[in-house]
Amino acid sequence: MTALLGEMTDAECRACLPALRELRKKLRPEPWHPRALRSYPALHAAGAVCHTGAAASATWLTGADMRSRQAPTRALLDVLSRRPPTWLGELAHRLAARPPSTQVDYGLMAGLIRMAAGEPPTTRAFVTGWVQHMSSLWQHQDTLADRLRQDPHTPRLVAALFVTADVGASLAWCPAEGPNSWAGSIARLTEEGVLNRPAMLDGCVARLLRGGSVVDQRAFLRLLRTLAPTRSEERERLTGWAALAADGVSTAAGYAQSVLARLALDGELTVGRLAEVSEAVLFRPEKKLVRAQLVLLGKVLRREPTHAPTLLPVVAGVFGHEDTAVQERALKLVTRHLDTAGDARGEIASAVEQLSPGLRSGAAGTLGVAVEAAPLGAYADVLPPPPELRRLAPTPESEAQVVEDVSVLLASPEEDMAAFETVLDGLVRRARADREGLVDALAPVVARRWWRTVDPRHVAPDTRFRALSGGIDVVLATLFGAVRTQTLHEALQPHTTDHLCEHGALAGVVDARLWEVAYRIRTEPLPFLLATPTWESGRLDAGELVTRLAAYHRLGVRPGPCDFAQALLRADRTDAAGARAAAAALGTAEGDRLAAWLALDEPAPPPAVRYTEEGWTLLEPPVLPADLTGFPRPFQPLAQPVSSRARCTHWDPSPAPHWLAVVPGHRELVAARLLSHVTHTVRHAGAVPGYLPRLAEAEGPAGDAVHLSLAYGLCARHAEYRLAAVDALLMLAAREQLDARLLGSSLGSLLDRGVLLPGRLTDSARTAAGTGAWALLWSVLREALAPLLAGRAAPGASPVAGLGALLAVAAECAERSGARGGIPEIAEVAARRGSSQLVTQARRLQNALTGRTA
């Protein structure tokens, strides 16, 4: 084939293109067929040669359908060698301009550049490929420095490293240190004069200033350290160090800070520049950098007290730092040099108001500032407004609106119960009115759903759907005929299981209703659904349900058993006397059943039973306090006891919003059955982040299960889960449903057992308190700290990492809210000798509670 392609003229090549395109079109639907696997490499090479334009050839070579079945690089270079050098160079540059996702072979690009005898491109694809090629030392006996030295394009490509995005991961292919490291090799070539030293230093500083991934920053910071700038080179780049210290990532800022510190202590940094840099560094959130800068300023002030008027106002800016230990360090520095502050005393005094209350009163006397003390009992928390009960959006009537809502629902990262119910009802209505038109309109929306793209010879949609309904997908797949009627019918038959997990009842109700809706769409379309909620909480107005049943009776429609059962569970029994009479007057079996259901009193659910397993506090899920004997089989497990120790197969907690709407008003039942998912967020991930805020907004009593869920969420591993738990905490408090004693005692016992980490609770508490809920957080932390500190007052007691920081947040909450009243455990720790953060913050908290000045 190579010889044949090499002998063809341009006209003959162009004449072959239609046949090649037709063959490619035939092979594309079955890329893994043996015939396709044999044909693709030859097709890949033939198309590259037969396109006489470099742009068209590059497009052919990088086609997605041939990406994993390309012709060998050597064969491609052979058949392309007949082209003129300028053409080959243009092709190489066009291939190099493609994004890395196209996986263009570096050997092909480098071979084309070699044949074209031109300059290599400096695109991301080429530079990354060059780095990976140079890093493959396991294939060679030489070193990385030797290979770089032999490549004539090394200066150009090394310079391109500093402007190539995400190249750090490729640089990490080699050892971080040693003779075969990229940093060591570039430094050696710089010493030899192969690479320009000023350009290397400037490139490192500029790349660090650009930011980027952690891997990138680590690689270029390592190179900068290896180059070891001299003192004169450091002085020449003062602007770069200052910018890095102010805006660089933490590690790069730390290096720049150390360079500036050396220059400042040697008198090579003006006091104005030092003040400017310090102001930026002290504003950073990293406490390590802030403390280091305060230490530097202290050293400078000891050597040159005349700098106090310029530097002390900058130090006073730290009075507003969130860490009171940093505030105290800054206050000590200001107090020590206040006599030499001169005219800056007024500016310093104005910053005293930013100090925490515990430090403010003591600093006021020292700095000569009058601070008005807030009267006790005058503080009030700032809480978000309680959520308003919102009606569900009306079901869309038009086909276009239904299709648009389906598209939005499928694109949502988390399922919204209200949107889901509206879309489901809309699909049912439109399927009865014009099923064919609905299918045609939905075709582009569902084109990429798995049941549309999967090869039925390998994975039958029926098989997948039998295992799990897949939410709205089972209804959409039924509309498109991807699920057989027999499969839908079998799914509705009563099934029994001896190993129902704690989520099985809730999931079973949701799935059974979806299967029923899908089956009725295929066999006996419904005009609308009975169980669509009236309110976003999942509640259904009883009068509205009576109206729907009356419409069913007029139309002669048989209600779906699961849909009607779900409607009963959602029906609001409050002030339902009129609806009960209207239901009885319908004269139908469903109306009589609804009237009897509304006449029942709704008893309180039995309390959940706590138990401990490997330190974790868990609950035996309570049952629904109702007689569900006449309900469909999937609903009956809701009223049956189930052990939380049962093996669970519901690895995906995203249907949690739907589970809350299965039994609206019984929030504790759902919270107890989802508690194991929430505990997973402490170790890795579990319930979706939006679950806890929805739980806080749900109806029903907030008891042990809700507060335990909140305790685990506040100490979740990932910040997004902790932020969601903070939202839920504030929401419960705004609704006056938060039991601070219950939440605090649960947190304290779990922290004491080492199940939860104090550092995570500190982050959540600081976030919540920052909204203005200081008294709320103190009421929770007060209960959590007592069991956590019990037994740790003795000098030999085992320390708890992060406990001092948690005490600092508690002390600030107590100071700002004006809390009073001693806690014996706090007093015992405060009486210990030493200056650790734990003891220091315990003393601060003790002073706040007793009204003493720090």
Side-chain angles (χ1 to χ4, degrees):
M1 182 196 73
T2 303
L4 177 63
L5 291 172
E7 296 173 357
M8 295 173 62
T9 65
D10 286 352
E12 292 172 333
C13 286
R14 286 191 291 270
C16 292
L17 284 177
L20 294 177
R21 294 193 184 102
E22 184 63 26
L23 176 60
R24 183 180 181 181
K25 183 178 179 180
K26 290 180 180 180
L27 295 177
R28 189 177 288 131
E30 297 181 328
W32 300 107
H33 192 278
R35 182 184 61 180
L37 295 176
R38 290 192 304 269
S39 303
Y40 261 122
L43 178 64
H44 188 240
V49 174
C50 290
H51 282 89
T52 55
S57 182
T59 301
W60 180 277
L61 286 170
T62 56
D65 54 332
M66 293 187 285
R67 193 167 297 162
S68 57
R69 295 167 294 277
Q70 298 181 0
T73 300
R74 185 183 298 275
L76 282 175
L77 292 175
D78 285 344
V79 297
L80 291 171
S81 61
R82 59 187 286 266
R83 297 290 182 188
T86 54
W87 190 95
L88 295 173
E90 182 183 355
L91 176 61
H93 280 266
R94 288 186 177 275
L95 291 175
R98 300 278 172 163
S101 59
T102 55
Q103 302 173 6
V104 180
D105 180 52
Y106 169 76
L108 175 61
M109 294 185 290
L112 292 171
I113 291 295
R114 186 171 55 253
M115 291 189 295
E119 289 289 333
T122 55
T123 63
R124 180 181 174 188
F126 191 90
V127 173
T128 302
W130 176 74
V131 170
Q132 293 172 355
H133 173 71
M134 287 292 183
S135 301
S136 303
L137 294 177
W138 58 273
Q139 299 175 342
H140 305 273
Q141 299 299 321
D142 54 2
T143 65
L144 176 60
D146 293 334
R147 300 194 70 191
L148 291 173
R149 195 180 293 110
Q150 295 165 8
D151 189 342
H153 302 302
T154 289
R156 175 181 173 85
L157 294 174
V158 168
L161 292 177
F162 299 111
V163 294
T164 302
D166 298 324
V167 75
S170 299
L171 294 174
W173 281 29
C174 285
E177 308 291 343
N180 283 329
S181 68
W182 273 93
S185 300
I186 291 177
R188 188 175 309 140
L189 295 182
T190 302
E191 293 175 4
E192 296 172 3
V194 176
L195 301 174
N196 181 269
R197 182 175 176 84
M200 295 299 102
L201 292 173
D202 292 338
C204 287
V205 175
R207 182 54 184 262
L208 293 173
L209 279 172
R210 285 178 54 193
S213 66
V214 175
V215 178
D216 262 11
Q217 293 283 296
R218 187 184 299 125
F220 288 100
L221 181 58
R222 184 182 299 118
L223 174 57
L224 182 59
R225 291 180 185 276
T226 307
L227 289 171
T230 63
R231 180 56 56 87
S232 61
E233 290 171 334
E234 289 177 345
R235 284 196 302 269
E236 293 170 359
R237 293 165 178 82
L238 273 178
T239 302
W241 307 131
L244 267 181
D247 301 316
V249 298
S250 181
T251 51
Y255 175 81
Q257 185 185 42
S258 64
V259 173
L260 292 169
R262 289 194 298 270
L263 295 174
L265 293 176
D266 290 345
E268 300 185 57
L269 195 65
T270 64
V271 64
R273 194 60 177 273
L274 177 59
E276 180 184 342
V277 170
S278 299
E279 187 173 6
V281 174
L282 295 175
F283 188 73
R284 294 182 64 106
E286 300 94 338
K287 289 184 286 188
K288 180 180 179 180
L289 296 178
V290 174
R291 287 195 296 265
Q293 196 67 20
L294 290 175
V295 170
L296 170 63
L297 292 176
K299 292 179 179 179
V300 172
L301 287 171
R302 280 198 300 271
R303 292 187 179 188
E304 295 291 340
T306 57
H307 293 342
T310 304
L311 298 180
L312 287 185
V314 176
V315 176
V318 187
F319 288 175
H321 197 278
E322 65 176 17
D323 189 343
T324 55
V326 174
Q327 291 182 17
E328 186 174 4
R329 186 186 291 265
L331 179 59
K332 288 180 179 179
L333 181 58
V334 168
T335 304
R336 189 179 302 125
H337 299 279
L338 187 62
D339 293 340
T340 57
D343 296 338
R345 292 178 67 101
E347 187 176 352
I348 296 171
S350 64
V352 172
E353 289 293 336
Q354 301 177 33
L355 288 168
S356 66
L359 295 173
R360 191 187 309 150
S361 56
T366 304
L367 302 179
V369 180
V371 177
E372 183 178 353
L376 292 178
Y379 177 79
D381 275 341
V382 178
L383 295 174
E388 296 180 1
L389 192 61
R390 297 184 299 270
R391 294 184 70 92
L392 215 67
T395 300
E397 296 293 339
S398 68
E399 182 179 276
Q401 186 61 50
V402 171
V403 172
E404 181 180 345
D405 289 351
V406 170
S407 177
V408 172
L409 183 68
L410 295 179
S412 301
E414 291 183 20
E415 293 188 6
D416 182 351
M417 184 279 299
F420 181 90
E421 290 288 346
T422 303
V423 166
L424 185 62
D425 192 32
L427 288 172
V428 168
R429 292 170 185 258
R430 293 305 307 170
R432 181 182 172 97
D434 182 10
R435 178 178 172 179
E436 293 183 1
L438 177 62
V439 169
D440 291 341
L442 283 172
V445 175
V446 301
R448 295 182 179 273
R449 303 305 286 179
W450 67 267
W451 46 268
R452 292 284 282 172
T453 58
V454 71
D455 188 344
R457 293 175 301 176
H458 303 294
V459 180
D462 273 3
T463 306
R464 290 274 298 272
F465 277 123
R466 282 194 194 101
L468 193 64
S469 71
I472 200 73
D473 273 301
V474 71
V475 177
L476 295 172
T478 299
L479 285 170
F480 281 82
V483 184
R484 295 182 301 166
T485 305
Q486 180 182 355
T487 301
L488 298 171
H489 179 72
E490 290 175 354
L492 293 177
Q493 303 311 304
H495 298 285
T496 59
T497 176
D498 297 329
H499 302 287
L500 192 66
C501 72
E502 55 190 336
H503 318 104
L506 297 166
V509 168
V510 175
D511 288 347
R513 181 165 171 250
L514 285 171
W515 282 113
E516 181 182 88
V517 168
Y519 180 72
R520 292 295 295 269
I521 284 177
R522 178 71 58 79
T523 60
E524 190 181 352
L526 297 168
F528 50 82
L529 295 178
L530 294 173
T532 304
T534 306
W535 308 96
E536 289 191 358
S537 63
R539 284 288 190 184
L540 171 59
D541 184 76
E544 190 169 343
L545 178 55
V546 173
T547 303
R548 294 175 185 175
L549 285 174
Y552 265 48
H553 183 55
R554 287 195 307 272
L555 296 171
V557 176
R558 178 178 60 90
C562 292
D563 186 40
F564 179 58
Q566 178 64 90
L568 291 178
L569 291 181
R570 289 175 174 173
D572 190 355
R573 300 181 188 178
T574 308
D575 298 328
R580 186 167 66 245
L586 289 176
T588 63
E590 288 79 13
D592 294 341
R593 189 174 173 191
L594 173 59
W597 179 262
L598 294 176
L600 296 174
D601 293 329
E602 193 165 353
V609 179
R610 278 196 180 204
Y611 69 94
T612 304
E613 185 176 284
E614 297 180 355
W616 299 85
T617 299
L618 301 172
L619 297 172
E620 290 291 354
V623 300
L624 184 68
D627 182 10
L628 302 182
T629 304
F631 280 64
R633 180 70 63 84
F635 287 75
Q636 295 177 10
L638 289 171
Q640 299 169 358
V642 60
S643 175
S644 60
R645 299 173 176 87
R647 184 177 66 86
C648 178
T649 59
H650 299 92
W651 56 270
D652 180 14
S654 60
H658 304 294
W659 295 347
L660 281 166
V662 169
V663 283
H666 295 277
R667 175 168 48 181
E668 277 289 291
L669 183 147
V670 180
R673 293 175 182 244
L674 275 173
L675 185 60
S676 61
H677 273 311
V678 181
T679 62
H680 293 165
T681 64
V682 179
R683 291 168 286 190
H684 35 82
V688 291
Y691 162 66
L692 285 178
R694 290 194 182 100
L695 184 65
E697 293 180 359
E699 297 179 349
D704 213 6
V706 171
H707 285 80
L708 265 177
S709 300
L710 192 55
Y712 286 121
L714 290 170
C715 299
R717 179 176 182 179
H718 298 297
E720 60 178 327
Y721 290 92
R722 295 197 296 270
L723 188 59
V726 169
D727 289 341
L729 170 70
L730 298 176
M731 193 68 65
L732 280 175
R735 299 181 68 186
E736 299 182 354
Q737 296 175 338
L738 182 71
D739 187 338
R741 183 181 295 274
L742 177 58
L743 176 60
S745 60
S746 299
L747 284 168
S749 61
L750 291 168
L751 288 165
D752 186 47
R753 285 185 235 141
V755 172
L756 304 182
L757 299 179
R760 297 177 184 175
L761 179 59
T762 300
D763 178 70
S764 297
R766 184 178 290 118
T767 301
T771 66
W774 302 101
L776 167 67
L777 265 296
W778 167 243
S779 64
V780 174
L781 294 178
R782 177 189 179 96
E783 301 297 329
L785 288 173
L788 187 57
L789 291 174
R792 288 185 168 85
S798 59
V800 178
L803 183 54
L806 182 60
L807 271 176
V809 176
E812 187 166 8
C813 290
E815 290 170 350
R816 291 184 180 273
S817 63
R820 293 292 184 269
I823 301 177
E825 293 82 3
I826 296 292
E828 291 177 12
V829 176
R832 288 173 51 176
R833 301 177 61 183
S835 58
S836 66
Q837 187 183 26
L838 176 64
V839 175
T840 301
Q841 297 301 331
R843 290 171 185 161
R844 176 188 168 198
L845 179 54
Q846 180 70 5
N847 290 337
L849 295 176
T850 57
R852 292 200 299 264
T853 300

